[in-house]
Amino acid sequence: MDNLAEHWQNLSLNEREDVNLELSEDKSSNEFIMAVKFLTKRALSVEAVIKTFNPLWRSKKGFKVRRAGDHILLFVFDNREEVDKILSSAPWSFDEHLMVLQRYDKEVPIRTLKFNTILVWIQVHDIPMRFLNHKVAEELCEVAGMMCKEEDINEMDGGSFIRVRVNIDINKHLCRGRRFSSSQGEQGWVSFKYERLPNLCYWCGSLSHVDKDCELWIESEG
């Protein structure tokens, strides 16, 4: 059916099939949808998912859940603000496994969605005191992923460290930190600490699988 939908222009249509229906915007639904992929090999229970996130997300009118593929669920809300709030509070996990969330605009097939990145807070530790500022922390975190500018600068202040919001690729190894040097010849290392991360592979540092599914672990025969 999907292939037919994609290639309908090449079909020979009969008189009834060729009658066009114009879909105006007033016929569209007012739903706001998140597409979520669960990075687990276990079977998903929709009932368990709803039971877990109902008290966490505290949606005023609740939400609906639809299955949309292999470990992919659609969460349907009636207002954008609740979706924005949930996305801004990422990362989320279920049963200690990572969930990759993204806004779904309903314009593209679900099978074409890429669940490759998540937003995380990174704590940047061990920055020399005279360089302990937001700009330096953001430059240091450029190797970890794409910066996400925070409007509330107070969210970045951790006292002895700086917090940076970063969009990271889950298929790449997590950066543990970064070397630095100063114009005075000082050299050192800053450490990255990731907030609220669930299970990850401690063999290679990837978030896309756990230890027992890692190629390094398999090649080493455990």
Side-chain angles (χ1 to χ4, degrees), residues 1-207:
M1 182 61 71
D2 290 337
N3 288 334
L4 286 176
E6 291 175 1
H7 301 293
W8 67 268
Q9 291 178 324
N10 298 324
L11 297 176
S12 177
L13 304 179
N14 63 39
E15 184 176 332
R16 288 180 298 159
E17 293 169 339
D18 199 32
V19 176
N20 181 62
L21 172 64
E22 182 177 346
L23 299 178
S24 57
E25 284 302 315
D26 63 331
K27 295 177 183 176
S28 65
S29 65
N30 292 321
E31 298 174 335
F32 299 92
I33 301 177
M34 286 190 311
V36 181
K37 183 164 186 177
F38 293 73
L39 298 188
T40 176
K41 292 188 175 181
R42 298 178 183 176
L44 277 181
S45 166
V46 172
E47 292 75 15
V49 170
I50 294 174
K51 185 177 180 180
T52 298
F53 292 104
N54 251 332
L56 292 176
W57 291 345
R58 299 178 182 177
S59 173
K60 292 180 180 179
K61 295 185 178 180
F63 54 86
K64 301 175 184 176
V65 179
R66 302 171 185 163
R67 291 189 180 273
D70 183 23
H71 290 85
I72 299 174
L73 298 180
L74 300 181
F75 291 79
V76 183
F77 295 81
D78 66 354
N79 69 84
R80 184 186 302 274
E81 289 73 21
E82 290 186 349
V83 174
D84 291 342
K85 182 179 179 181
I86 294 168
L87 292 173
S88 66
S89 300
W92 293 95
S93 60
F94 176 72
D95 194 24
E96 298 186 353
H97 289 84
L98 186 67
M99 297 161 55
V100 184
L101 292 73
Q102 62 177 282
R103 200 185 309 276
Y104 180 51
D105 62 8
K106 299 173 284 188
E107 297 296 328
V108 297
I110 292 173
R111 66 180 181 277
T112 65
L113 296 178
K114 304 297 183 183
F115 295 90
N116 294 328
T117 61
I118 61 169
L119 273 174
V120 298
W121 280 105
I122 299 180
Q123 298 178 7
V124 188
H125 289 259
D126 305 320
I127 302 175
M129 189 58 64
R130 67 181 184 279
F131 295 112
L132 190 61
N133 59 69
H134 305 131
K135 187 176 186 303
V136 169
E138 289 176 348
E139 289 182 356
L140 287 166
C141 283
E142 287 176 352
V143 295
M146 185 176 296
M147 295 298 104
C148 179
K149 296 293 183 180
E150 281 297 313
E151 294 182 3
D152 186 358
I153 203 72
N154 294 322
E155 286 287 323
M156 299 179 65
D157 190 358
S160 61
F161 58 87
I162 301 293
R163 301 170 75 235
V164 180
R165 192 72 158 159
V166 181
N167 203 24
I168 64 173
D169 188 333
I170 64 172
N171 296 304
K172 293 182 178 180
H173 304 164
L174 290 176
C175 284
R176 295 169 293 179
R178 184 176 181 179
R179 292 191 304 114
F180 70 85
S181 60
S182 69
S183 56
Q184 287 77 30
E186 177 184 6
Q187 296 188 15
W189 170 268
V190 295
S191 298
F192 295 161
K193 295 185 179 180
Y194 297 80
E195 297 183 3
R196 296 176 52 201
L197 284 188
N199 287 344
L200 71 151
C201 178
Y202 290 97
W203 281 89
C204 70
S206 173
L207 290 166

